[in-house]
Amino acid sequence: MKTVYFLIGLLLIVGVFIVSVYNGLIVKRNRVKNAWAQVDVQLKKRFDLIPNIVETVKGYAAHEKSTFEAVTKARTAFQSAQTPAQEAEANNMMTAALGRLFAVAEAYPELKASANFMELQNQLSEVEDKIAFARQFYNDTVLMYNNAIQVFPSNIVANMFGFMEEFFFQAEETEKEAPQVKF
């Protein structure tokens, strides 16, 4: 009889442990999704601001068609992205295209002095700061989640229920270089 009680107690303890770990993993996975949603909001702000900047620059540099097409292509890629990885790739495309766009703007002193262009550039700078913060928060959240599904003994529960690692939002090689923007 003591053996039956012992086995019931042991099963109860194991059951409580599994439920506890499972719920903790769900909470961490939901935090990752929430953190990505915050990055996504900032990226959408960035991509919504871009057409205004492009139109402003177009007025001064209509012959820079390939630069405008690169920005449009990156924006389209972001809008059609289905996964966070695709959105991150579109973000990297946009970063490169914006670098070229601001290089074009450098050639036009009257554009750089335009109040409209300066305001758009300030808005973009604010959004970029928010994106950087949101990306850092997302990566920190992913780190906590990935650690939770990899360490013993929670990795056993994670494997039992199919928890998968999340990706980190990483900068492309072109993003790691300091931009050469002069005002």
Side-chain angles (χ1 to χ4, degrees), residues 17-73:
F17 170 76
I18 289 174
V19 167
S20 175
V21 170
Y22 177 81
N23 288 340
L25 292 173
I26 292 292
V27 167
K28 285 176 177 61
R29 183 172 64 190
N30 288 341
R31 284 184 184 149
V32 168
K33 289 178 183 178
N34 178 57
W36 177 256
Q38 299 307 315
V39 171
D40 194 42
V41 165
Q42 296 307 321
L43 289 175
K44 284 180 180 164
K45 281 184 186 178
R46 178 190 198 203
F47 280 87
D48 289 344
L49 182 61
I50 301 306
N52 296 330
I53 293 172
V54 168
E55 288 303 315
T56 302
V57 176
K58 266 186 185 179
Y60 289 88
H63 62 281
E64 299 288 347
K65 187 176 180 182
S66 64
T67 301
F68 303 133
E69 287 173 352
V71 171
T72 303
K73 182 179 176 185

Side-chain angles (χ1 to χ4, degrees), residues 7-21 157 160:
L7 289 176
I8 290 173
L10 184 62
L11 286 175
L12 190 60
I13 290 171
V14 169
V16 167
F17 170 76
I18 289 174
V19 167
S20 175
V21 170
V157 176
M160 284 174 41

